[in-house]
């Protein structure tokens, strides 16, 4: 793609970026920061391309390091954001039946928050 | 393996870019935030799968292995981290993203034949390195591996100037000649600049710097997209760069600061007022039973949670105490400072985790006029966000920061671990006022004792 098209896209993306978070409440500042953080982990695509054309072992090693770092940014970023946002679930008056199907991750901490939620609901 | 036509590839990248925009849009509102985040993750998945099927790639098994290693490290950490340690983890993930962008640019330098592509290379290198090193320092500060106070030494501005000057020189040389050695030097200079940029930032300002570095990484990713001629990286990076800039300004505004003031305030001096000294003025300390009596016979209690509560994992106990008081017919609210915890919105997340009802969480603007009507303000592990010095003492590191007006309450009870000053490193005069009582100890233990005593009333 030629320089002018890329420049056009860049400038438009700047405006979209400004526009899309112009009125966010302070409650969501942290998740939004974390979510934006996850999105720039898409540098993974660049790291994969670089690693895919590496011929020299050193270049390959550095490129693979970049892949590891970018993946950590991407995957970790989305998971952390999701966990933060999961907490906002409790803020609405939750019906006792509702949380049950949401136990998608057989992870730790879930049982605790479940019991908390039940006490909350029966209160 | 090239299975996809270039046009199909371009369309898939466009779809991923749209998903990212929808993700940021969704994160604007609590109702749509979680879905937004999932849409973003899906967009990333589409993009990564696309690159595998549209580009001729060698070393695919190794690349897949590296992806497995990266996810294998990050996902469990992200799953298991305590909510209180969220801010430093966000800083860490941001840093590794910046590092990845810098490495990608470094490896692309030999392929960059155009001078203007090399401009994008040096930009990515420098900004990515600044973001990596700066994030590492913010991580160290938040994890308390180093002091949380501003670190300033006499030659700092000169050193910073010299590093930047050298970086500009090296960058110009790389653009003209494409030297790999000078590019490595530039990388090192970028790392040094990142460290020097964040060292003087203290206390409660650290999260704002994380947000700023987040925007930096976005810009580095966008520039690396220019280097690789990849539109998705350009769009995603620019989106994060632009939205991160707005977010940084919004966060700074929520604390009544300017971004420049946060970064360079410590240089101007004068902000070291009362920086570390713990005075020996007398305070009134009390027992959990006394505090329970104070609370149990009040009509209105406002709980002010802070970082100490978060560290002690006391949010569930605080929620229980609120319930116990409410069952005695006492009105209880939680007053949430925008930066309570350690990041804007952090405390809402923690209390929501403990299932404190939404209506009880009051934001600063809403609750400040109500302290006058409160019998007791119970400050649990907060300090800087209730420090009147923010209004009265020009030159204090927190001067100008909006605070919760707990001084207006009839009685103020501080649950504190010690007299050690808070995150900003300054003493709180409120603790020496006659209406103030202190209960020393770990926030959770103290709350548990108070809760027990309230139930026994």
């Amino acid at each position: 793609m030629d320089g002018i098209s890329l420049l056009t896209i860049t400038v438009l993306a700047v405006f979209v970026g400004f526009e899309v978070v112009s009125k966010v409440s302070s409650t969501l500042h942290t998740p939004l920061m974390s979510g934006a953080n996850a999105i720039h982990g898409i540098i993974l695509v660049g790291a994969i391309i670089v690693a895919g054309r590496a011929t020299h072992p050193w270049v390959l090693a550095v490129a693979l390091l970049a892949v590891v770092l970018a993946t950590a940014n991407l995957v970790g970023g989305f998971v952390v954001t999701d966990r933060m946002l999961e907490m906002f679930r409790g803020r609405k008056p939750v019906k006792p039946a509702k949380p049950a199907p949401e136990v998608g991750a057989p992870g730790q901490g879930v049982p605790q928050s479940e019991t908390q939620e039940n006490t909350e609901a029966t209160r | 393996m090239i299975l996809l036509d270039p046009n199909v590839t371009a369309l898939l990248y466009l779809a991923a870019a749209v998903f990212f925009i929808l993700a940021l849009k969704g994160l604007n509102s609590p109702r749509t935030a979680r879905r937004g985040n999932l849409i973003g993750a899906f967009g990333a998945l589409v993009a990564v799968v696309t690159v595998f099927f549209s580009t001729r790639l060698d070393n695919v098994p190794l690349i897949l292995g590296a992806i497995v290693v990266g996810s294998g490290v990050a996902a469990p950490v992200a799953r298991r981290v305590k909510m209180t340690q969220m801010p430093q983890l966000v800083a860490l993930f941001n840093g590794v993203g910046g590092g990845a962008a810098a490495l990608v640019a470094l490896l692309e330098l030999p392929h960059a034949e155009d001078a203007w592509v090399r401009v994008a290379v040096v930009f990515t290198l420098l900004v990515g390195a600044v973001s990596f090193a700066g994030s590492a320092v913010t991580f160290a500060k938040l994890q308390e591996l180093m002091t949380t106070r501003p670190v300033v030494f006499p030659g700092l501005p000169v050193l910073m100037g010299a590093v930047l000057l050298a970086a500009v020189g090296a960058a110009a040389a790389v653009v003209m000649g494409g030297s790999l050695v000078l590019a490595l030097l530039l990388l090192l200079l970028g790392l040094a600049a990142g460290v020097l940029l964040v060292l003087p930032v203290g206390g409660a300002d650290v999260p704002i710097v994380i947000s700023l570095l987040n925007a930096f990484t976005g810009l580095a990713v966008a520039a690396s997209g220019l280097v690789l001629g990849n539109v998705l990286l350009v769009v995603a990076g620019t989106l994060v760069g632009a939205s991160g800039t707005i977010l940084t300004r919004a966060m700074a505004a929520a604390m009544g600061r300017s971004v420049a003031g946060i970064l360079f305030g410590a240089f101007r001096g004068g902000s070291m007022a009362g920086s570390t000294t713990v005075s020996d003025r007398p305070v009134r300390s009390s027992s959990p039973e006394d505090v329970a009596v104070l609370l149990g016979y009040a009509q209105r209690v406002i709980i002010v949670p802070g970082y100490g509560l978060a560290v002690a994992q006391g949010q569930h106990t605080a929620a229980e105490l609120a319930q116990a008081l409410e069952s005695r017919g006492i009105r209880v609210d939680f007053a949430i400072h925008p930066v309570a915890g350690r990041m804007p919105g952090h405390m809402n997340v923690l209390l929501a985790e403990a299932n404190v009802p939404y209506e009880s969480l009051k934001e600063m603007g809403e609750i400040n006029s109500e302290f006058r009507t409160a019998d007791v303000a119970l400050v649990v592990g907060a300090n800087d966000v209730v420090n009147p010095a923010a209004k009265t003492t020009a030159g204090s590191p927190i001067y100008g920061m909006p605070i919760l007006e707990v001084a207006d309450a009839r009685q103020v009870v501080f649950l504190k671990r010690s007299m050690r000053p808070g995150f900003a490193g300054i003493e709180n005069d409120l603790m020496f006022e006659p209406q103030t009582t202190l209960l020393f100890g770990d926030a959770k233990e103290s709350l548990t004792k108070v809760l027990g005593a309230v139930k026994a009333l």
Side-chain angles (χ1 to χ4, degrees):
Chain A
M1 190 174 291
D2 65 292
I4 290 297
S5 311
L6 278 176
L7 185 66
T8 309
I9 290 167
T10 311
V11 172
L12 293 179
V14 169
F15 281 95
V16 174
F18 281 157
E19 205 50 46
V20 103
V21 296
S22 50
K23 291 186 291 277
V24 61
S25 87
S26 66
T27 312
L28 280 172
H29 279 171
T30 297
L32 184 62
M33 188 208 300
S34 180
N37 185 0
I39 287 175
H40 66 51
I42 199 62
I43 184 64
L44 175 58
V45 166
I48 291 172
I49 292 173
V50 174
R53 51 163 100 126
T55 43
H56 193 280
W58 273 109
V59 173
L60 180 60
V62 175
L64 289 176
L65 175 63
V67 172
V68 172
L69 295 182
T71 312
N73 183 188
L74 189 72
V75 175
F78 281 118
V79 173
V80 150
T81 311
D82 187 60
R83 270 196 64 202
M84 271 186 226
L85 294 170
E86 202 179 14
M87 302 308 167
F88 282 85
R89 191 181 47 163
R91 297 181 55 165
K92 281 163 238 149
V94 189
K95 289 173 189 75
K98 213 176 171 194
E102 279 213 57
V103 194
Q108 40 296 319
V110 172
Q112 191 196 7
S113 73
E114 289 300 312
T115 50
Q116 283 291 332
E117 209 144 75
N118 291 339
T119 48
E120 158 74 18
T122 48
R123 186 152 67 89
Chain B
M1 175 168 51
I2 303 184
L3 292 179
L4 297 174
D5 177 84
N7 283 329
V8 176
T9 306
L11 283 176
L12 285 170
Y13 280 151
L14 175 64
V18 170
F19 287 138
F20 288 156
I21 294 170
L22 291 176
L24 287 178
K25 189 85 197 148
L27 282 161
N28 259 319
S29 148
R31 232 172 357 91
T32 53
R34 198 163 180 209
R35 190 173 6 128
N37 185 54
L38 291 177
I39 290 173
F42 181 70
L45 184 69
V46 167
V48 172
V49 171
T50 302
V51 72
F52 274 106
F53 290 104
S54 63
T55 322
R56 199 188 66 79
L57 297 173
D58 297 330
N59 317 312
V60 169
L62 285 173
I63 296 173
L64 290 174
I67 291 177
V68 170
V69 170
S71 337
V73 173
V77 172
R79 271 264 146 239
R80 263 178 231 151
V81 68
K82 289 191 197 120
M83 276 293 153
T84 46
Q85 291 175 330
M86 220 50 119
Q88 46 266 55
L89 195 66
V90 172
L92 198 64
F93 287 147
N94 177 52
V96 296
L103 293 180
V104 167
L106 187 68
L107 296 178
E108 274 302 288
L109 182 61
H111 304 283
E113 270 135 39
D114 254 14
W116 80 268
V117 176
R118 286 202 292 270
V119 170
V121 167
V122 297
F123 180 85
T124 312
L125 259 183
L126 193 59
V127 177
V130 166
S131 185
F132 177 79
S135 299
V137 177
T138 55
F139 175 81
K141 285 191 182 220
L142 289 171
Q143 192 73 22
E144 295 194 341
L145 299 172
M146 60 177 288
T147 173
T148 55
R149 276 190 285 282
V151 176
V152 195
F153 48 90
L156 183 61
V158 181
L159 186 60
M160 186 69 175
V163 166
L164 287 182
L165 214 61
V168 169
V174 173
V175 169
M176 286 189 290
S179 155
L180 201 57
V181 177
L182 284 175
L184 279 169
L185 177 68
L186 186 61
L187 189 71
L188 292 177
L189 288 168
L191 294 175
V195 172
L196 293 176
L197 184 73
V198 180
L199 275 183
V201 177
D205 292 338
V206 171
I208 295 171
V209 174
I210 298 178
S211 176
L212 185 69
L213 293 174
N214 193 26
F216 277 13
T217 306
L219 293 179
V221 170
S224 78
L226 293 176
V227 175
L228 292 163
N230 186 306
V231 183
L232 177 63
L233 294 191
V234 173
V235 173
T238 309
L239 272 179
V240 177
S243 60
T245 306
I246 296 283
L247 186 58
T248 307
R249 288 183 54 195
M251 285 162 96
M255 296 179 65
R257 325 285 309 261
S258 75
V259 177
I262 288 163
L263 287 178
F264 306 114
F267 284 159
R268 285 198 296 269
S271 70
M272 302 305 284
S275 56
T276 50
T277 42
V278 178
S279 77
D280 44 11
R281 282 185 283 174
V283 292
R284 229 158 45 110
S285 72
S286 161
S287 70
E289 289 73 25
D290 290 340
V291 174
V293 170
L294 215 52
L295 293 173
Y297 293 98
Q299 286 180 339
R300 174 124 204 241
V301 172
I302 298 180
I303 300 179
V304 181
Y307 184 70
L309 174 91
V311 170
Q313 297 283 309
Q315 62 269 34
H316 294 283
T317 320
E320 265 187 77
L321 177 63
Q323 281 180 30
L325 292 175
E326 275 166 356
S327 67
R328 293 175 64 89
I330 301 162
R331 180 164 171 212
V332 183
D333 287 307
F334 285 82
I336 314 287
H337 191 275
V339 295
R342 247 179 207 181
M343 272 188 151
H346 191 202
M347 190 53 68
N348 299 63
V349 173
L350 292 172
L351 290 173
E353 183 195 13
N355 283 297
V356 173
Y358 180 66
E359 316 82 65
S360 307
L361 299 176
K362 296 270 180 76
E363 299 205 3
M364 182 170 61
E366 200 183 343
I367 195 93
N368 258 349
S369 57
E370 298 181 24
F371 277 107
R372 251 169 276 139
T373 65
D375 299 298
V376 186
L378 181 67
V379 183
V380 190
N383 189 5
D384 297 332
V385 297
V386 298
N387 192 339
K391 279 167 53 184
T392 56
T393 315
S396 158
I398 59 168
Y399 185 67
M401 179 170 101
I403 55 159
L404 290 164
E405 320 257 347
V406 298
D408 289 346
R410 227 154 288 152
Q411 297 276 337
V412 180
V413 178
F414 273 92
L415 301 193
K416 271 184 78 65
R417 186 181 281 280
S418 69
M419 286 301 286
R420 207 171 69 106
F423 208 40
I426 44 168
E427 206 166 56
N428 191 344
D429 283 334
L430 195 56
M431 292 195 284
F432 307 98
E433 295 292 324
Q435 83 266 34
T436 304
T437 310
L438 281 94
L439 176 57
F440 289 111
D442 172 81
K444 188 176 181 180
E445 281 170 28
S446 295
L447 279 174
T448 311
K449 286 181 196 154
V450 171
L451 176 63
V454 165
K455 283 182 174 159
L457 280 177

